[in-house]
Amino acid sequence: KLQAVLFDLDGVITDTAKYHFTAWKQMAERIGIEIDSEFNESLKGIERMQSLERILIHGQQEHKYTQEEKERLAQQKNDEYVALLASLTPEDTYPGIKELLQQLRDNGIPAVIASASKNAPLILDALQLRDYFHAIVDPSGIPGKPQPDIFLKAAEQAGADPSCCIGVEDSQAGIEAIRAAGMYAVGIGEENILGPFGADIVYASTRELSLQKLLAAANLE
Ligand code: BG6
Ligand code: MG
């Protein structure tokens, strides 16, 4: 029986994945590195400093900066990102999400945020969705996706058995993390991008999500 649904945030609850991409792209361009949307798939779900490392390796600049300089670059990216979040309102919640959260609430099934982002509380407040979540996992100090830890922590906070949880993700690293945690992995996006990473089912849009469909797909009725 389904015990909890664990949600990634960026690119699942709302379209902030595009703001991460914009902010990284601008920062990378300033140091002479080009990033395209295909490379960006490998950044999704990855913690901030790790993302920067990947970008530097991509541009063959991994030995160029001191730790302090790297922290400054990541800070610049985050400042730009947070500025982009200023316009976020409840209308920016992806279609079908609020309805699904309401169905979960009506059925007493906890929803938990399992995001790598330190900006998760800020975003959930802007969307006015915080009350729908039983908990927001604090990603600091635990191994990031594709390691299973964030999802295992989310299950633990909901008091749920991992094998009775569904994880919802738009990133390759996140899908891997859900599978490594022994949970049913729902992808939001494209089958050819998320399928190879182990997604059990992929929906093109959050519009297609419903509790009934998830229960049937995951065989957790
Ligand atoms: C993930 C995003 O949710 O959070 C990544 O998919 C991002 O793109 C990561 O780098 C960390 O986010 P933040 O807001 O803490 O920099
Ligand atoms: Mg995401």
Side-chain angles (χ1 to χ4, degrees), residues 71-162:
E71 266 152 32
R72 210 167 318 132
L73 288 171
Q75 182 65 53
Q76 284 171 11
K77 181 269 173 179
N78 192 59
D79 290 346
E80 242 154 42
Y81 176 66
V82 171
L84 292 170
L85 294 179
S87 62
L88 216 58
T89 74
E91 278 73 63
D92 294 304
T93 306
Y94 266 153
I97 290 293
K98 193 150 182 194
E99 292 76 1
L100 175 60
L101 290 170
Q102 189 60 49
Q103 290 167 352
L104 292 171
R105 175 184 275 179
D106 293 345
N107 287 274
I109 299 164
V112 179
I113 289 288
S115 167
S117 174
K118 298 190 170 68
N119 292 298
L122 175 79
I123 292 169
L124 290 170
D125 282 343
L127 300 176
Q128 292 174 18
L129 287 181
R130 214 169 158 149
D131 290 350
Y132 285 91
F133 293 95
H134 173 78
I136 304 171
V137 173
D138 178 3
S140 23
I142 55 175
K145 302 169 189 179
Q147 304 302 314
D149 303 64
I150 296 179
F151 285 97
L152 291 173
K153 192 87 188 254
E156 188 189 312
Q157 294 195 340
D161 185 325

Side-chain angles (χ1 to χ4, degrees), residues 8-12 17 44-45 169-171:
D8 174 46
L9 173 66
D10 301 308
V12 168
K44 289 183 181 174
E169 263 286 352
D170 69 315
S171 72

Side-chain angles (χ1 to χ4, degrees), residues 59-76:
Q60 291 166 336
Q61 296 191 17
E62 66 268 38
H63 302 302
K64 198 165 164 183
Y65 302 98
T66 63
Q67 187 57 29
E68 205 176 306
E69 288 167 333
K70 285 183 200 171
E71 266 152 32
R72 210 167 318 132
L73 288 171
Q75 182 65 53
Q76 284 171 11

